[in-house]
Amino acid sequence: MTRTTLLDREVGRAMSALSAAAKKGIGDPGLAGLVMIRASQINHCAFCLDMHLRLAREGGESEDRIQLLNAWEEAEDLYDERERAALALTEAVTLLTDGFVPDEVYEMAAKHFDEAELAHLIGLITVINGWNRLMVSRRIPPGGYTP
């Protein structure tokens, strides 16, 4: 298997800065973690999953919520309406091959997030998808994350 660890330092810094700004604008580290885990699950990014699962556990996220995130729609009691709106938006933005983000998904998110929070949430979803693509395309294995 061919893989490269090469990542331009400026690109990495820019992506990290975008991630930090988006997380700060959402103001809810737990929710940001769920979004990053869910996008990474969809994109099959083992490196990002390993990192964000570890960070979620360290941040106090419950094991039930982590384990059932892949089935969040059926695990209604574990995620509140705001989280569910963010997860639906995460899936819609991540899976753009299905077409545009459905109006009802966007409207649900807009009910739970003010304009600035929604812009930051979309930014976070976008940047984690970028990170996933960077790591998957370079075949970076899990376990290499160090804070």
PDB file of all heavy atoms in Angstrom, residues 3-31:
ATOM      1  N   ARG A   3       1.537   5.092   0.672  1.00  0.00           N
ATOM      2  CA  ARG A   3       0.986   6.136   1.522  1.00  0.00           C
ATOM      3  C   ARG A   3       2.046   7.202   1.693  1.00  0.00           C
ATOM      4  O   ARG A   3       3.230   6.947   1.567  1.00  0.00           O
ATOM      5  CB  ARG A   3       0.496   5.536   2.813  1.00  0.00           C
ATOM      6  CG  ARG A   3       1.216   5.943   4.043  1.00  0.00           C
ATOM      7  CD  ARG A   3       0.545   5.401   5.276  1.00  0.00           C
ATOM      8  NE  ARG A   3       1.508   4.549   5.940  1.00  0.00           N
ATOM      9  CZ  ARG A   3       1.215   3.497   6.640  1.00  0.00           C
ATOM     10  NH1 ARG A   3      -0.010   3.121   6.772  1.00  0.00           N
ATOM     11  NH2 ARG A   3       2.135   2.805   7.209  1.00  0.00           N
ATOM     12  N   THR A   4       1.585   8.397   1.997  1.00  0.00           N
ATOM     13  CA  THR A   4       2.498   9.497   2.244  1.00  0.00           C
ATOM     14  C   THR A   4       2.088  10.223   3.514  1.00  0.00           C
ATOM     15  O   THR A   4       0.900  10.327   3.807  1.00  0.00           O
ATOM     16  CB  THR A   4       2.539  10.499   1.069  1.00  0.00           C
ATOM     17  OG1 THR A   4       3.431  11.568   1.402  1.00  0.00           O
ATOM     18  CG2 THR A   4       1.177  11.103   0.776  1.00  0.00           C
ATOM     19  N   THR A   5       3.043  10.674   4.247  1.00  0.00           N
ATOM     20  CA  THR A   5       2.748  11.483   5.427  1.00  0.00           C
ATOM     21  C   THR A   5       2.897  12.956   5.108  1.00  0.00           C
ATOM     22  O   THR A   5       2.710  13.799   5.964  1.00  0.00           O
ATOM     23  CB  THR A   5       3.674  11.101   6.602  1.00  0.00           C
ATOM     24  OG1 THR A   5       5.029  11.287   6.186  1.00  0.00           O
ATOM     25  CG2 THR A   5       3.441   9.667   7.045  1.00  0.00           C
ATOM     26  N   LEU A   6       3.222  13.260   3.866  1.00  0.00           N
ATOM     27  CA  LEU A   6       3.456  14.630   3.459  1.00  0.00           C
ATOM     28  C   LEU A   6       2.181  15.469   3.578  1.00  0.00           C
ATOM     29  O   LEU A   6       1.137  15.106   3.057  1.00  0.00           O
ATOM     30  CB  LEU A   6       3.961  14.676   2.013  1.00  0.00           C
ATOM     31  CG  LEU A   6       4.250  16.059   1.457  1.00  0.00           C
ATOM     32  CD1 LEU A   6       5.399  16.710   2.220  1.00  0.00           C
ATOM     33  CD2 LEU A   6       4.583  15.964  -0.023  1.00  0.00           C
ATOM     34  N   LEU A   7       2.275  16.550   4.279  1.00  0.00           N
ATOM     35  CA  LEU A   7       1.217  17.555   4.346  1.00  0.00           C
ATOM     36  C   LEU A   7       1.911  18.893   4.470  1.00  0.00           C
ATOM     37  O   LEU A   7       2.706  19.103   5.395  1.00  0.00           O
ATOM     38  CB  LEU A   7       0.285  17.329   5.543  1.00  0.00           C
ATOM     39  CG  LEU A   7      -0.815  18.392   5.734  1.00  0.00           C
ATOM     40  CD1 LEU A   7      -1.774  18.401   4.533  1.00  0.00           C
ATOM     41  CD2 LEU A   7      -1.584  18.153   7.017  1.00  0.00           C
ATOM     42  N   ASP A   8       1.639  19.779   3.543  1.00  0.00           N
ATOM     43  CA  ASP A   8       2.238  21.099   3.581  1.00  0.00           C
ATOM     44  C   ASP A   8       1.931  21.762   4.929  1.00  0.00           C
ATOM     45  O   ASP A   8       0.775  21.765   5.380  1.00  0.00           O
ATOM     46  CB  ASP A   8       1.687  21.949   2.425  1.00  0.00           C
ATOM     47  CG  ASP A   8       2.278  23.330   2.415  1.00  0.00           C
ATOM     48  OD1 ASP A   8       3.417  23.473   1.940  1.00  0.00           O
ATOM     49  OD2 ASP A   8       1.604  24.260   2.915  1.00  0.00           O
ATOM     50  N   ARG A   9       2.950  22.285   5.561  1.00  0.00           N
ATOM     51  CA  ARG A   9       2.811  22.883   6.885  1.00  0.00           C
ATOM     52  C   ARG A   9       1.801  24.028   6.887  1.00  0.00           C
ATOM     53  O   ARG A   9       1.000  24.159   7.809  1.00  0.00           O
ATOM     54  CB  ARG A   9       4.178  23.351   7.379  1.00  0.00           C
ATOM     55  CG  ARG A   9       4.153  23.756   8.851  1.00  0.00           C
ATOM     56  CD  ARG A   9       5.530  23.967   9.387  1.00  0.00           C
ATOM     57  NE  ARG A   9       6.151  22.650   9.475  1.00  0.00           N
ATOM     58  CZ  ARG A   9       7.446  22.424   9.546  1.00  0.00           C
ATOM     59  NH1 ARG A   9       8.275  23.422   9.560  1.00  0.00           N
ATOM     60  NH2 ARG A   9       7.921  21.203   9.627  1.00  0.00           N
ATOM     61  N   GLU A  10       1.820  24.865   5.862  1.00  0.00           N
ATOM     62  CA  GLU A  10       0.877  25.989   5.793  1.00  0.00           C
ATOM     63  C   GLU A  10      -0.560  25.506   5.632  1.00  0.00           C
ATOM     64  O   GLU A  10      -1.481  26.074   6.218  1.00  0.00           O
ATOM     65  CB  GLU A  10       1.247  26.936   4.651  1.00  0.00           C
ATOM     66  CG  GLU A  10       2.434  27.817   4.970  1.00  0.00           C
ATOM     67  CD  GLU A  10       2.675  28.845   3.886  1.00  0.00           C
ATOM     68  OE1 GLU A  10       1.716  29.563   3.514  1.00  0.00           O
ATOM     69  OE2 GLU A  10       3.818  28.917   3.405  1.00  0.00           O
ATOM     70  N   VAL A  11      -0.745  24.461   4.850  1.00  0.00           N
ATOM     71  CA  VAL A  11      -2.088  23.886   4.687  1.00  0.00           C
ATOM     72  C   VAL A  11      -2.577  23.349   6.032  1.00  0.00           C
ATOM     73  O   VAL A  11      -3.712  23.597   6.443  1.00  0.00           O
ATOM     74  CB  VAL A  11      -2.102  22.780   3.607  1.00  0.00           C
ATOM     75  CG1 VAL A  11      -3.423  22.022   3.607  1.00  0.00           C
ATOM     76  CG2 VAL A  11      -1.819  23.372   2.240  1.00  0.00           C
ATOM     77  N   GLY A  12      -1.728  22.631   6.720  1.00  0.00           N
ATOM     78  CA  GLY A  12      -2.091  22.093   8.038  1.00  0.00           C
ATOM     79  C   GLY A  12      -2.438  23.187   9.028  1.00  0.00           C
ATOM     80  O   GLY A  12      -3.423  23.090   9.765  1.00  0.00           O
ATOM     81  N   ARG A  13      -1.656  24.249   9.053  1.00  0.00           N
ATOM     82  CA  ARG A  13      -1.942  25.376   9.960  1.00  0.00           C
ATOM     83  C   ARG A  13      -3.261  26.050   9.609  1.00  0.00           C
ATOM     84  O   ARG A  13      -4.044  26.397  10.492  1.00  0.00           O
ATOM     85  CB  ARG A  13      -0.810  26.384   9.933  1.00  0.00           C
ATOM     86  CG  ARG A  13       0.344  26.014  10.844  1.00  0.00           C
ATOM     87  CD  ARG A  13       1.272  27.193  11.030  1.00  0.00           C
ATOM     88  NE  ARG A  13       2.074  27.373   9.837  1.00  0.00           N
ATOM     89  CZ  ARG A  13       3.388  27.249   9.778  1.00  0.00           C
ATOM     90  NH1 ARG A  13       4.058  26.985  10.863  1.00  0.00           N
ATOM     91  NH2 ARG A  13       4.035  27.416   8.656  1.00  0.00           N
ATOM     92  N   ALA A  14      -3.508  26.243   8.317  1.00  0.00           N
ATOM     93  CA  ALA A  14      -4.746  26.881   7.885  1.00  0.00           C
ATOM     94  C   ALA A  14      -5.957  26.029   8.252  1.00  0.00           C
ATOM     95  O   ALA A  14      -6.971  26.547   8.745  1.00  0.00           O
ATOM     96  CB  ALA A  14      -4.710  27.149   6.381  1.00  0.00           C
ATOM     97  N   MET A  15      -5.860  24.727   8.023  1.00  0.00           N
ATOM     98  CA  MET A  15      -6.958  23.824   8.378  1.00  0.00           C
ATOM     99  C   MET A  15      -7.187  23.817   9.888  1.00  0.00           C
ATOM    100  O   MET A  15      -8.327  23.841  10.347  1.00  0.00           O
ATOM    101  CB  MET A  15      -6.663  22.408   7.891  1.00  0.00           C
ATOM    102  CG  MET A  15      -6.600  22.250   6.384  1.00  0.00           C
ATOM    103  SD  MET A  15      -8.193  22.162   5.612  1.00  0.00           S
ATOM    104  CE  MET A  15      -8.732  20.550   6.148  1.00  0.00           C
ATOM    105  N   SER A  16      -6.106  23.805  10.655  1.00  0.00           N
ATOM    106  CA  SER A  16      -6.226  23.831  12.119  1.00  0.00           C
ATOM    107  C   SER A  16      -6.860  25.133  12.595  1.00  0.00           C
ATOM    108  O   SER A  16      -7.682  25.125  13.517  1.00  0.00           O
ATOM    109  CB  SER A  16      -4.852  23.646  12.769  1.00  0.00           C
ATOM    110  OG  SER A  16      -4.380  22.343  12.526  1.00  0.00           O
ATOM    111  N   ALA A  17      -6.498  26.238  11.971  1.00  0.00           N
ATOM    112  CA  ALA A  17      -7.074  27.535  12.346  1.00  0.00           C
ATOM    113  C   ALA A  17      -8.567  27.565  12.027  1.00  0.00           C
ATOM    114  O   ALA A  17      -9.373  28.065  12.827  1.00  0.00           O
ATOM    115  CB  ALA A  17      -6.346  28.666  11.629  1.00  0.00           C
ATOM    116  N   LEU A  18      -8.951  27.038  10.881  1.00  0.00           N
ATOM    117  CA  LEU A  18     -10.371  26.972  10.518  1.00  0.00           C
ATOM    118  C   LEU A  18     -11.133  26.095  11.506  1.00  0.00           C
ATOM    119  O   LEU A  18     -12.223  26.450  11.954  1.00  0.00           O
ATOM    120  CB  LEU A  18     -10.532  26.453   9.089  1.00  0.00           C
ATOM    121  CG  LEU A  18     -11.955  26.316   8.563  1.00  0.00           C
ATOM    122  CD1 LEU A  18     -12.719  27.631   8.659  1.00  0.00           C
ATOM    123  CD2 LEU A  18     -11.926  25.820   7.123  1.00  0.00           C
ATOM    124  N   SER A  19     -10.560  24.963  11.861  1.00  0.00           N
ATOM    125  CA  SER A  19     -11.193  24.076  12.846  1.00  0.00           C
ATOM    126  C   SER A  19     -11.411  24.794  14.170  1.00  0.00           C
ATOM    127  O   SER A  19     -12.497  24.743  14.751  1.00  0.00           O
ATOM    128  CB  SER A  19     -10.332  22.837  13.103  1.00  0.00           C
ATOM    129  OG  SER A  19     -10.240  22.013  11.999  1.00  0.00           O
ATOM    130  N   ALA A  20     -10.380  25.468  14.646  1.00  0.00           N
ATOM    131  CA  ALA A  20     -10.456  26.168  15.935  1.00  0.00           C
ATOM    132  C   ALA A  20     -11.504  27.273  15.893  1.00  0.00           C
ATOM    133  O   ALA A  20     -12.287  27.436  16.838  1.00  0.00           O
ATOM    134  CB  ALA A  20      -9.088  26.728  16.308  1.00  0.00           C
ATOM    135  N   ALA A  21     -11.542  28.044  14.809  1.00  0.00           N
ATOM    136  CA  ALA A  21     -12.510  29.131  14.696  1.00  0.00           C
ATOM    137  C   ALA A  21     -13.939  28.598  14.660  1.00  0.00           C
ATOM    138  O   ALA A  21     -14.834  29.147  15.313  1.00  0.00           O
ATOM    139  CB  ALA A  21     -12.222  29.955  13.441  1.00  0.00           C
ATOM    140  N   ALA A  22     -14.155  27.525  13.916  1.00  0.00           N
ATOM    141  CA  ALA A  22     -15.494  26.947  13.820  1.00  0.00           C
ATOM    142  C   ALA A  22     -15.950  26.404  15.171  1.00  0.00           C
ATOM    143  O   ALA A  22     -17.081  26.645  15.594  1.00  0.00           O
ATOM    144  CB  ALA A  22     -15.514  25.856  12.754  1.00  0.00           C
ATOM    145  N   LYS A  23     -15.078  25.680  15.855  1.00  0.00           N
ATOM    146  CA  LYS A  23     -15.425  25.129  17.174  1.00  0.00           C
ATOM    147  C   LYS A  23     -15.743  26.251  18.163  1.00  0.00           C
ATOM    148  O   LYS A  23     -16.725  26.169  18.914  1.00  0.00           O
ATOM    149  CB  LYS A  23     -14.288  24.274  17.723  1.00  0.00           C
ATOM    150  CG  LYS A  23     -14.126  22.956  17.044  1.00  0.00           C
ATOM    151  CD  LYS A  23     -12.993  22.185  17.703  1.00  0.00           C
ATOM    152  CE  LYS A  23     -12.167  21.477  16.683  1.00  0.00           C
ATOM    153  NZ  LYS A  23     -10.984  20.847  17.216  1.00  0.00           N
ATOM    154  N   LYS A  24     -14.937  27.283  18.154  1.00  0.00           N
ATOM    155  CA  LYS A  24     -15.152  28.415  19.060  1.00  0.00           C
ATOM    156  C   LYS A  24     -16.500  29.073  18.783  1.00  0.00           C
ATOM    157  O   LYS A  24     -17.229  29.423  19.699  1.00  0.00           O
ATOM    158  CB  LYS A  24     -14.012  29.419  18.908  1.00  0.00           C
ATOM    159  CG  LYS A  24     -14.117  30.595  19.837  1.00  0.00           C
ATOM    160  CD  LYS A  24     -12.930  31.522  19.666  1.00  0.00           C
ATOM    161  CE  LYS A  24     -13.066  32.719  20.589  1.00  0.00           C
ATOM    162  NZ  LYS A  24     -11.991  33.690  20.366  1.00  0.00           N
ATOM    163  N   GLY A  25     -16.842  29.231  17.517  1.00  0.00           N
ATOM    164  CA  GLY A  25     -18.093  29.878  17.143  1.00  0.00           C
ATOM    165  C   GLY A  25     -19.324  29.077  17.507  1.00  0.00           C
ATOM    166  O   GLY A  25     -20.395  29.641  17.721  1.00  0.00           O
ATOM    167  N   ILE A  26     -19.196  27.769  17.562  1.00  0.00           N
ATOM    168  CA  ILE A  26     -20.314  26.923  17.990  1.00  0.00           C
ATOM    169  C   ILE A  26     -20.484  27.030  19.503  1.00  0.00           C
ATOM    170  O   ILE A  26     -21.589  27.046  20.017  1.00  0.00           O
ATOM    171  CB  ILE A  26     -20.104  25.455  17.559  1.00  0.00           C
ATOM    172  CG1 ILE A  26     -20.160  25.336  16.050  1.00  0.00           C
ATOM    173  CG2 ILE A  26     -21.146  24.540  18.196  1.00  0.00           C
ATOM    174  CD1 ILE A  26     -19.753  23.977  15.524  1.00  0.00           C
ATOM    175  N   GLY A  27     -19.368  27.094  20.204  1.00  0.00           N
ATOM    176  CA  GLY A  27     -19.415  27.274  21.654  1.00  0.00           C
ATOM    177  C   GLY A  27     -19.817  26.048  22.444  1.00  0.00           C
ATOM    178  O   GLY A  27     -20.141  26.155  23.620  1.00  0.00           O
ATOM    179  N   ASP A  28     -19.822  24.896  21.841  1.00  0.00           N
ATOM    180  CA  ASP A  28     -20.221  23.656  22.508  1.00  0.00           C
ATOM    181  C   ASP A  28     -19.259  22.550  22.074  1.00  0.00           C
ATOM    182  O   ASP A  28     -19.475  21.896  21.048  1.00  0.00           O
ATOM    183  CB  ASP A  28     -21.657  23.307  22.139  1.00  0.00           C
ATOM    184  CG  ASP A  28     -22.193  22.069  22.839  1.00  0.00           C
ATOM    185  OD1 ASP A  28     -21.392  21.278  23.385  1.00  0.00           O
ATOM    186  OD2 ASP A  28     -23.426  21.887  22.824  1.00  0.00           O
ATOM    187  N   PRO A  29     -18.177  22.340  22.851  1.00  0.00           N
ATOM    188  CA  PRO A  29     -17.184  21.343  22.444  1.00  0.00           C
ATOM    189  C   PRO A  29     -17.752  19.938  22.291  1.00  0.00           C
ATOM    190  O   PRO A  29     -17.313  19.178  21.422  1.00  0.00           O
ATOM    191  CB  PRO A  29     -16.144  21.388  23.563  1.00  0.00           C
ATOM    192  CG  PRO A  29     -16.441  22.580  24.383  1.00  0.00           C
ATOM    193  CD  PRO A  29     -17.836  23.009  24.089  1.00  0.00           C
ATOM    194  N   GLY A  30     -18.718  19.572  23.120  1.00  0.00           N
ATOM    195  CA  GLY A  30     -19.321  18.239  23.011  1.00  0.00           C
ATOM    196  C   GLY A  30     -20.037  18.052  21.692  1.00  0.00           C
ATOM    197  O   GLY A  30     -19.886  17.022  21.025  1.00  0.00           O
ATOM    198  N   LEU A  31     -20.803  19.045  21.294  1.00  0.00           N
ATOM    199  CA  LEU A  31     -21.508  18.987  20.020  1.00  0.00           C
ATOM    200  C   LEU A  31     -20.510  18.966  18.862  1.00  0.00           C
ATOM    201  O   LEU A  31     -20.665  18.186  17.920  1.00  0.00           O
ATOM    202  CB  LEU A  31     -22.462  20.171  19.875  1.00  0.00           C
ATOM    203  CG  LEU A  31     -23.195  20.260  18.540  1.00  0.00           C
ATOM    204  CD1 LEU A  31     -24.113  19.064  18.337  1.00  0.00           C
ATOM    205  CD2 LEU A  31     -23.968  21.558  18.457  1.00  0.00           C
TER     206      LEU A  31
END
